[in-house]
Amino acid sequence: MLRRNEAVNWAFAPLNLCIYLQIAIAKPEEEKQSEKETERGKEMGWIGDTVDSIKSIQIRQLLTQAVSLGMIVTSALIIWKALVCITGSESPVVVVLSGSMEPGFKRGDILFLHMSKDPIRSGEIVVFNVDGREIPIVHRVIKVHEREDSGEVDVLTKGDNNNGDDRLLYAQGQQWLHRHHIMGRAVGFLPYVGWVTIIMTEKPIIKYILIGALGLLVITSKD
Amino acid sequence: MCAITSLSDNLNTPSPSAEIQVMNINWFQKQPQGNDEVSLTMNISADLQTLFTWNTKQLFIFVAAEYETPKNSLNQVSLWDAIIPSKEHAKFWIHTSNKYRFVDQGNNLRGKEFNLTLHWHVMPKTGKMFADKIVLTGYSFPEEYR
């Protein structure tokens, strides 16, 4: 429970900060606008003051846009953290990277994960980490041996499209997976959507182009 | 959209049926490391056509043996699996020996009773995946190795 509250606070604090900042910046801007209009009716002697107020409006606009960007980012963070909390899994969405589960899952599909305390049973599609490998694997459980006394479980997995089971993928000397290796079960899926992530990982230049374009859009928007 | 397509899958009330016969125990031995292993041949017939909806991409089906031993409250060993890509293929009959090795953790199998379960996992075109099974009981290993 403590972890959940912590995650919520952590995500909401910057969002609140952004909202307060936006209100604080916006109010004085309105007052400065009306002052500028009354000054327009006066003589050239007031040019110095008008130039100053234009400059401060530009700075405020920049700040407003920075804060808007901040709000977008923190909103996305909140949604992500909420998903982590709700699904109980460290990474609630994964992209399929290989063809070992074809034709069911193809490279570029997205899998929705959920981890519950329910026991692991054969047929379930699980996402697991092998010690020493950083990329998790999504395969199906084909054998389960559950201990009477401790409830601990030995699990063997296999990709639907592979000929042999996953023992070759496990760590040296490891015959079975255990509960702590398993990060979640696949409960739903969306085809093709994960290609965006794959492209951005394998061709990072596209990521930079996208971020650059987004940044440009935010700066040049009239809001 | 994902959620809506999954909702429509819930409206389907399937009525699958299956039958598995163990035709022969090909051999039944204790391995050098001490684990029992058995090879068997089965007749598997099933009609899973009612499981298919417009949102079904394929069915992943498998037959698993389930049994209990003194050390393990549950053992599930997958013996055979297949992918059914369409409704037409969902009514079938097959004569096969076990695709995957049937190895116990220990040597507990002599004379033991076991269940054979036919599981199906529905893989949708998009959305929630769901699964169910039919449990067939009454199978048992021979009393002696052979």
Side-chain angles (χ1 to χ4, degrees), chain A residues 182-203:
Chain A
I182 293 172
M183 287 163 39
R185 286 184 190 86
V187 294
F189 109 117
L190 264 184
Y192 312 122
V193 179
W195 270 112
V196 177
T197 312
I198 291 181
I199 291 171
M200 299 224 280
T201 313
E202 296 188 357
K203 306 248 182 303

Side-chain angles (χ1 to χ4, degrees), chain A:
Chain A
M1 265 314 273
L2 200 63
R3 245 192 81 219
R4 282 177 190 235
N5 289 337
E6 198 187 297
V8 166
N9 290 338
W10 181 87
F12 271 101
L15 183 65
N16 286 337
L17 189 63
C18 287
I19 295 173
Y20 290 140
L21 272 176
Q22 190 152 52
I23 296 170
I25 294 170
K27 261 207 178 131
E29 195 182 345
E30 282 168 23
E31 290 171 286
K32 277 285 178 184
Q33 282 274 15
S34 51
E35 273 181 28
K36 193 171 155 238
E37 276 162 17
T38 54
E39 280 172 6
R40 212 178 264 149
K42 306 240 170 126
E43 296 294 326
M44 298 284 258
W46 297 108
I47 283 179
D49 284 336
T50 49
V51 169
D52 280 332
S53 55
I54 288 170
K55 266 197 200 151
S56 59
I57 285 170
Q58 275 183 338
I59 292 174
R60 285 206 164 82
Q61 265 184 346
L62 247 155
L63 276 173
T64 315
Q65 273 153 2
V67 167
S68 300
L69 189 59
M71 274 180 64
I72 294 171
V73 172
T74 45
S75 301
L77 266 167
I78 288 172
I79 293 174
W80 179 258
K81 279 285 172 192
L83 267 175
V84 170
C85 275
I86 292 168
T87 63
S89 161
E90 274 306 310
S91 96
V93 178
V94 292
V95 178
V96 176
L97 294 174
S98 82
S100 58
M101 284 294 282
E102 285 189 18
F105 303 144
K106 295 193 163 62
R107 195 167 133 84
D109 292 343
I110 281 198
L111 293 178
F112 296 102
L113 306 185
H114 189 270
M115 193 63 198
S116 68
K117 293 232 164 30
D118 292 341
I120 301 184
R121 293 287 174 255
S122 66
E124 294 177 348
I125 298 173
V126 296
V127 179
F128 59 92
N129 273 312
V130 176
D131 305 322
R133 281 179 190 254
E134 42 170 75
I135 300 182
I137 303 176
V138 187
H139 281 171
R140 198 182 294 271
V141 172
I142 60 166
K143 291 192 184 170
V144 171
H145 294 281
E146 187 173 287
R147 296 271 174 281
E148 165 82 55
D149 46 13
S150 60
E152 274 165 28
V153 71
D154 286 340
V155 166
L156 181 63
T157 55
K158 173 182 170 291
D160 288 351
N161 205 22
N162 291 345
N163 281 330
D165 57 43
D166 288 345
R167 284 211 167 106
L168 292 171
L169 294 174
Y170 299 164
Q172 180 85 299
Q174 182 184 2
Q175 297 282 336
W176 305 97
L177 286 180
H178 302 114
R179 182 117 203 165
H180 66 89
H181 291 112
I182 293 172
M183 287 163 39
R185 286 184 190 86
V187 294
F189 109 117
L190 264 184
Y192 312 122
V193 179
W195 270 112
V196 177
T197 312
I198 291 181
I199 291 171
M200 299 224 280
T201 313
E202 296 188 357
K203 306 248 182 303
I205 184 126
I206 297 201
K207 189 165 54 179
Y208 299 131
I209 293 175
L210 258 174
I211 291 180
L214 254 170
L216 213 66
L217 217 77
V218 169
I219 293 170
T220 58
S221 75
K222 289 299 176 184
D223 282 326

Side-chain angles (χ1 to χ4, degrees), chain A residues 103-105 121-124 140 142-148 154 158 160 176 186-191, chain B residues 2 57-58 60 62 70-78 83 100-101 105 121 123-129:
Chain A
F105 303 144
R121 293 287 174 255
S122 66
E124 294 177 348
R140 198 182 294 271
I142 60 166
K143 291 192 184 170
V144 171
H145 294 281
E146 187 173 287
R147 296 271 174 281
E148 165 82 55
D154 286 340
K158 173 182 170 291
D160 288 351
W176 305 97
V187 294
F189 109 117
L190 264 184
Chain B
C2 216
K57 182 158 73 171
Q58 66 182 36
F60 182 90
F62 65 98
K71 197 168 78 159
N72 292 339
S73 53
L74 175 67
N75 300 281
Q76 285 181 318
V77 179
S78 176
I83 288 175
Y100 306 115
R101 295 175 66 176
Q105 284 189 335
H121 282 249
M123 290 163 95
K125 295 194 173 118
T126 180
K128 184 166 181 292
M129 300 190 286

Side-chain angles (χ1 to χ4, degrees), chain B residues 18-78:
Chain B
E19 232 185 71
I20 307 177
Q21 280 171 294
V22 175
M23 300 306 291
N24 190 38
I25 303 281
N26 305 327
W27 49 265
F28 178 25
Q29 290 294 312
K30 182 161 124 174
Q31 290 175 344
Q33 321 102 324
N35 295 328
D36 280 348
E37 183 174 350
V38 66
S39 162
L40 40 80
T41 303
M42 305 170 278
N43 269 351
I44 305 168
S45 65
D47 181 358
L48 304 174
Q49 289 186 319
T50 53
L51 292 167
F52 273 85
T53 70
W54 66 274
N55 188 33
T56 307
K57 182 158 73 171
Q58 66 182 36
L59 286 187
F60 182 90
I61 64 172
F62 65 98
V63 169
E66 285 182 13
Y67 61 95
E68 204 182 292
T69 59
K71 197 168 78 159
N72 292 339
S73 53
L74 175 67
N75 300 281
Q76 285 181 318
V77 179
S78 176

